[in-house]
Amino acid sequence: MKVVILAGGYGTRISEESMFKPKPMIEIGEYPILHHIMRYYSHYGFNEFIICCGYKANIIKEYFSNYFLHTSDVTFDFRYSGNMSVHRNIAEPWRVTIIDTGLYTQTGGRIKRICKYTENKPFLLTYGDGLSNVDLNDLVEFHKQHNAIVTLTAVQPSGRFGAIDVDSSGIVTSFREKPKGDMGWVNGGFFVCQPDVFDYIDGDDSIWEHDPLEKISSTGRLMAYKHHGFWSPMDTVRDKFYLEELWKNGTAPWKL
């Protein structure tokens, strides 16, 4: 199955970095978060990627066109027209298709634009700014067993604030610091999609999380795979620092 990655948005909530590069190219440690996501899928044997670009698409294209330059040691020999020799060549088993899906296209519209590249087959879909340790093989099997058009990964994010219970007299009867799941289950991305999904997307202005998923939900064929493990978006600089600490300390759950 091919993996479609949404990587075209502006990333306004992390504008401190996204003003210079698309959010999926913001680094966690020594690699862009996009690279982390792709290596995670690759661990499960999914090595064909379709990247939906938009904002600063040229930066993503440049990264992959010079992939060995970014990830390996090199020697430039200017005696011979600047020939480049690559040392410690790290070759990922990837086939990467990069599609400019438009600067102002919404998430659903970006998916619609890459329809022909999925070759009318089921595909995986995710956002270019989220990491998890979801079992992708189990996710795909769950999708098949339930005859879904779309299966999303439902997650319970950690709370941003401490939660308290207060009785009628004002006494705090319970205090829980940032309880996980206080928001309930939310869409964590990491989708599995049937080719029928394109019939539910109208055009460039279609927002994937609104009309398409709402329409599919009304058919009873939108499934949620509940993931109780690690999941984190990179919406803010605070999120970036959190993910970098995990990576630096060798405790990143997505590093398999």
Side-chain angles (χ1 to χ4, degrees), residues 78-119:
F78 293 101
R79 298 171 299 174
Y80 302 99
S81 303
N83 288 346
M84 183 181 78
S85 300
V86 178
H87 312 291
R88 199 173 54 83
N89 188 344
I90 301 172
E92 304 287 357
W94 296 345
R95 185 174 188 268
V96 183
T97 301
I98 301 173
I99 307 299
D100 190 338
T101 53
L103 189 59
Y104 304 108
T105 310
Q106 297 289 347
T107 47
R110 295 190 192 282
I111 297 167
K112 184 86 168 182
R113 286 203 184 193
I114 55 88
C115 175
K116 66 179 181 180
Y117 298 100
T118 63
E119 301 174 341

Side-chain angles (χ1 to χ4, degrees), residues 105-173:
T105 310
Q106 297 289 347
T107 47
R110 295 190 192 282
I111 297 167
K112 184 86 168 182
R113 286 203 184 193
I114 55 88
C115 175
K116 66 179 181 180
Y117 298 100
T118 63
E119 301 174 341
N120 201 36
K121 296 178 181 178
F123 61 95
L124 300 165
L125 167 70
T126 196
Y127 302 108
D129 62 354
L131 292 166
S132 179
N133 64 349
V134 59
D135 186 325
L136 295 176
N137 290 336
D138 200 44
L139 171 65
V140 171
E141 187 59 32
F142 177 91
H143 173 80
K144 292 177 180 177
Q145 289 176 358
H146 290 83
N147 190 34
I149 295 175
V150 174
T151 296
L152 60 82
T153 298
V155 297
Q156 293 181 302
S158 297
R160 294 289 189 184
F161 307 99
I164 60 174
D165 295 319
V166 184
D167 68 13
S168 58
S169 64
I171 297 174
V172 175
T173 58

